[in-house]
Amino acid sequence: MSHEVKAEEGPSSSTSGSSSSATVSSVDTLPTQEPLPSIPEEGEIGEGNGQGLKAWGRLFGLSPGFHNLDCVNAEYSFGRDPNCDYVFQRLSELYQQTSKKHFRVIREEPGLGVGVAYLEDQSANGTFVNGTLIGKGKKTPLANGAEIALALPFNKVFCFCDLMDNNQSMGFPSALKEKYLISKTLGTGACGEVKLGFEKTTCLKVAIKIINKKKCFRENDRPFNVETEVEILKKIDHPCLIKIKDFYEGEDFYIVLELMEGGELFYKVRRPAKLSEETSKFYFYQMLLAVQYLHQNGIIHRDLKLENILLSSPSEEKCLIKVSDFGQSKLLGESSLMQTLCGTPDYLAPEVLRFELGAKEGGYGRAVDAWSLGVILFICLSGYPPFSETPQKTLRDQIRTGSFTFIQEIWDHVSQEALDLVRKLLEVDPIRRLTIQEALHHPWLQDEEMKRTFQELVSKAETPNSPLKGRKRQRTEDRLVDTPTKARKLQQ
Ligand code: ADP
């Protein structure tokens, strides 16, 4: 199998680097997102150049016009110059900002060192590795998962995967490694790390959540029926819920999730840059739809908080949000959930705290999610939490009695309708608290324009080149109507 490394040039191949607009007659004919070529299977790697050489690295194209490259040779040059090994496409949006010779990727001879890969910047236009400018004539080691950007730090065009880095997949189950390439760490949670991964056949980026068994479970506390629970959770299908794609068990548990590139809502709500009321409403509507779907499918989230609401876009304010970490107790048993809940009670409903104190009756049900959503909405609208420890009253006491304060100069800018919804969700008595269904019918959320925008975003996310590609989807509302049947199916 031969590996073509040169990208196709536009119809009139020019080396001058002058504007390419003359060669592009109609922008309409251009695909907005190029489908990424599929990655060869494990067995195929190494036959890269037909000479039996093994690929030592792989560059995943992150931007339209940048195809993947399997690195087999010791060196590759990148740029607009047709003599480069990897020629930038004229159709790429970044074409104007790139140099004829932009950078080189070099693999140190394994016999001379540890076989490290380097990037050498050859351009005055700027080459960035993980956000740092390298500088013309300088080089930097390319670690597994390194992101390469051109001209500006956020113009990411490649993610480097070091195929010789054994550490990257140490301890990972082989079935996981067969299907996914594991890349850099995205973040660390209470129970382990979350890594960036690539599905080999589709090049789709995924998040791989590693649940450290030693950290999260006491001896003999292994949750049972994990596989059955995963099968149930894999059927959960809603545009506002993180899709669980796969699950593996090895040294640890590995949950493959849909990747959310926008990070946590937590980072968007801190004062003074709090969310506008309009954006808060847009996100909150989606959270309600997600939780409504979970409840209809017999799942109570129980750990709703800003950190578990992930955004699809790092830049667009009006974007899809997704709720994560649902079904945790089903997947990992009560002990893991309790471990999370042992942290700060910021979002915990009063009835959970009463239960903690040993109340004989009550326990808690779906209403706990409505309370947590009330706390989230309060923070989105005001930029501060409704309950926080004071010398006069502990956080737990404040929650138990539902004592929160609306600081006037902040809430003066918030509509009465929004404030009314917050009050009705932060109702101490779970029986009187609004249900998710009732919250969706609250006057504040009767906003047709907002619902239309949401539907448009969902449809866009479901177009052929989106990460949701290939999954047949109904309209969101139809799916919600369908849920009782689905709920029965899921519970079978
Ligand atoms: P916790 O256990 O504290 O809930 P997680 O393990 O879920 O935390 O997440 C740890 C980090 O990984 C967080 O910073 C989170 O934003 C990130 N993360 C988790 N899931 C995803 C995902 N699906 N896409 C992108 N980032 C994610």
Side-chain angles (χ1 to χ4, degrees), residues 208-244:
I208 304 175
K209 182 164 173 161
I210 304 162
I211 294 171
N212 186 314
K213 284 187 191 167
K214 282 196 206 98
K215 214 168 159 186
C216 280
F217 304 106
R218 286 182 300 258
E219 232 173 299
N220 302 328
D221 188 21
R222 187 190 184 288
F224 50 91
N225 270 343
V226 176
E227 290 76 15
T228 321
E229 293 303 349
V230 170
E231 283 317 306
I232 293 170
L233 290 175
K234 272 165 94 174
K235 289 184 190 147
I236 290 286
D237 184 15
H238 188 278
C240 301
L241 287 167
I242 295 277
K243 183 86 188 146
I244 296 184

Side-chain angles (χ1 to χ4, degrees), residues 305-378:
K305 53 185 176 187
L306 286 166
E307 293 90 325
N308 280 338
I309 312 291
L310 302 178
L311 304 170
S312 59
S313 165
S315 49
E316 304 282 319
E317 185 145 302
K318 281 274 163 65
C319 66
L320 288 180
I321 58 105
K322 290 184 198 249
V323 173
S324 76
D325 276 357
F326 53 88
Q328 255 201 88
S329 60
K330 281 177 159 263
L331 258 187
L332 305 167
E334 287 292 323
S335 69
S336 132
L337 181 71
M338 287 326 291
Q339 190 156 331
T340 336
L341 299 186
C342 279
T344 161
D346 290 342
Y347 301 85
L348 284 194
E351 62 269 30
V352 183
L353 295 181
R354 276 198 295 273
F355 196 61
E356 253 183 18
L357 283 180
K360 295 253 169 355
E361 53 194 70
Y364 45 91
R366 292 167 187 197
V368 299
D369 285 343
W371 174 277
S372 306
L373 285 177
V375 176
I376 292 176
L377 181 58
F378 188 109

Side-chain angles (χ1 to χ4, degrees), residues 14-234:
S14 150
T15 57
S16 67
S18 62
S19 167
S20 61
S21 58
T23 60
V24 181
S25 54
S26 163
V27 176
D28 291 340
T29 60
L30 298 179
T32 50
Q33 167 103 52
E34 278 211 342
L36 294 168
S38 69
I39 306 173
E41 291 299 316
E42 210 71 87
E44 291 178 89
I45 301 168
E47 295 154 37
N49 62 357
Q51 293 166 27
L53 287 178
K54 206 168 160 58
W56 46 265
R58 182 171 294 153
L59 286 160
F60 284 97
L62 297 180
S63 179
F66 289 83
H67 61 85
N68 299 339
L69 170 68
D70 261 5
C71 304
V72 176
N73 304 332
E75 182 182 326
Y76 287 89
S77 53
F78 296 74
R80 284 192 281 109
D81 190 328
N83 293 317
C84 285
D85 300 308
Y86 188 111
V87 183
F88 296 147
Q89 289 191 36
R90 296 179 65 80
L91 301 185
S92 153
E93 281 170 24
L94 291 171
Y95 189 78
Q96 308 294 333
Q97 301 166 54
T98 53
S99 305
K100 282 185 173 178
K101 292 211 161 98
H102 206 107
F103 66 90
R104 291 195 305 153
V105 169
I106 314 145
R107 175 84 174 173
E108 180 186 59
E109 276 293 320
L112 298 174
V114 284
V116 179
Y118 289 96
L119 178 142
E120 184 188 286
D121 192 356
Q122 297 178 293
S123 163
N125 287 334
T127 308
F128 296 80
V129 173
N130 292 333
T132 305
L133 178 67
I134 306 308
K136 194 172 177 180
K138 297 201 179 117
K139 66 177 189 174
T140 185
L142 265 188
N144 187 43
E147 287 176 326
I148 302 170
L150 303 181
L152 289 166
F154 51 81
N155 284 337
K156 293 177 190 169
V157 294
F158 291 115
C159 178
F160 176 68
C161 186
D162 191 336
L163 299 175
M164 297 295 164
D165 179 359
N166 293 327
N167 280 338
Q168 62 158 313
S169 41
M170 223 161 51
F172 286 75
S174 48
L176 169 71
K177 287 190 285 185
E178 255 162 48
K179 192 164 173 190
Y180 299 98
L181 277 173
I182 299 126
S183 183
K184 66 173 184 178
T185 301
L186 291 171
T188 310
C191 279
E193 279 187 318
V194 176
K195 296 237 177 216
L196 172 68
F198 293 88
E199 189 176 35
K200 290 185 185 177
T201 51
T202 58
C203 285
L204 258 189
K205 284 190 258 177
V206 293
I208 304 175
K209 182 164 173 161
I210 304 162
I211 294 171
N212 186 314
K213 284 187 191 167
K214 282 196 206 98
K215 214 168 159 186
C216 280
F217 304 106
R218 286 182 300 258
E219 232 173 299
N220 302 328
D221 188 21
R222 187 190 184 288
F224 50 91
N225 270 343
V226 176
E227 290 76 15
T228 321
E229 293 303 349
V230 170
E231 283 317 306
I232 293 170
L233 290 175
K234 272 165 94 174

